[in-house]
Amino acid sequence: AWRLVGVCLLAVSAGCTSGGWPLGGKVSDTVPGITPPRERIATLRQLAKQAGKTKPEDRARLSGEVAAMYPGESDPLVRLEVVRTLGSLPEAAEATFRQAAKDPDADVRVAVCQALGKRKGPVALEVLRERLAGDTDMDVRLAAAKALGEIRDPAAVEALGAALQERDGLGRRQRWLDR
């Protein structure tokens, strides 16, 4: 019985390394009716490139469609691209940025900070201050600090000053960098 298991394992591993199923046929990573993440990402990148050339009313519609993708998306790489695409749309849904600022993936939260740093405005200021003060990931906090610096608002300067005074936050990192 063990020999039969060994022969089967050998046949399966040989078939897998040759690029196909052991019994022949092509292997596909697509499932009918489901768009693979790489294609969704490519589509979002194309939309972001074309955003500047699109009419304002079309950008508003497009922004709503892209924002609607975020809540149901399970792939963090696609969520990241959704945020980046929204960052290129001036009419982007602020509610999506607020939601994405609390995303479980730190790279998505960094992208939110980068997008909001270019946007400015009261919502950007509020979300960035929250990320700077309360995020557990240092990269997110640094991205929020950089974005707040780009906003150049007195309230942003106040938030940055408070962060530098923290003993275990950006203040400690800043002192380390000054050495």
Side-chain angles (χ1 to χ4, degrees):
W2 287 107
R3 282 189 186 160
L4 180 60
V5 170
V7 169
C8 288
L9 287 175
L10 182 60
V12 168
S13 66
C16 291
T17 58
S18 66
W21 289 98
L23 301 177
K26 287 187 169 183
V27 176
S28 174
D29 65 345
T30 60
V31 177
I34 297 177
T35 306
R38 71 179 180 288
E39 289 180 23
R40 294 195 309 269
I41 290 170
T43 301
L44 287 164
R45 287 181 180 165
Q46 189 63 32
L47 290 174
K49 283 181 185 178
Q50 296 173 349
K53 303 171 192 169
T54 309
K55 296 177 189 175
E57 60 273 9
D58 291 336
R59 282 196 311 256
R61 179 190 48 77
L62 182 62
S63 175
E65 290 173 7
V66 173
M69 293 173 69
Y70 180 85
E73 183 56 58
S74 62
D75 190 317
L77 294 175
V78 178
R79 290 194 313 268
L80 173 67
E81 209 57 48
V82 166
V83 168
R84 287 179 177 163
T85 302
L86 287 174
S88 67
L89 295 165
E91 297 83 2
E94 293 173 342
T96 303
F97 282 123
R98 287 180 190 270
Q99 184 180 7
K102 297 174 183 169
D103 193 277
D105 189 89
D107 290 335
V108 174
R109 297 191 312 270
V110 167
V112 168
C113 293
Q114 292 167 341
L116 291 177
K118 295 173 189 167
R119 285 192 117 51
K120 303 175 175 43
V123 171
L125 184 62
E126 176 189 341
V127 171
L128 291 168
R129 288 176 73 180
E130 288 172 3
R131 290 300 93 209
L132 179 63
D135 206 284
T136 57
D137 188 278
M138 186 58 75
D139 289 336
V140 175
R141 295 182 75 192
L142 289 171
K146 183 178 179 189
L148 283 167
E150 292 170 359
I151 289 178
R152 299 182 186 262
D153 181 281
V157 173
E158 182 182 313
L160 288 168
L164 287 172
Q165 297 302 317
E166 288 182 23
R167 185 174 170 105
D168 62 345
L170 294 175
R172 184 157 102 190
R173 186 176 190 106
Q174 180 64 39
R175 286 192 295 277
W176 179 80
L177 290 172
D178 287 341
R179 291 184 196 176

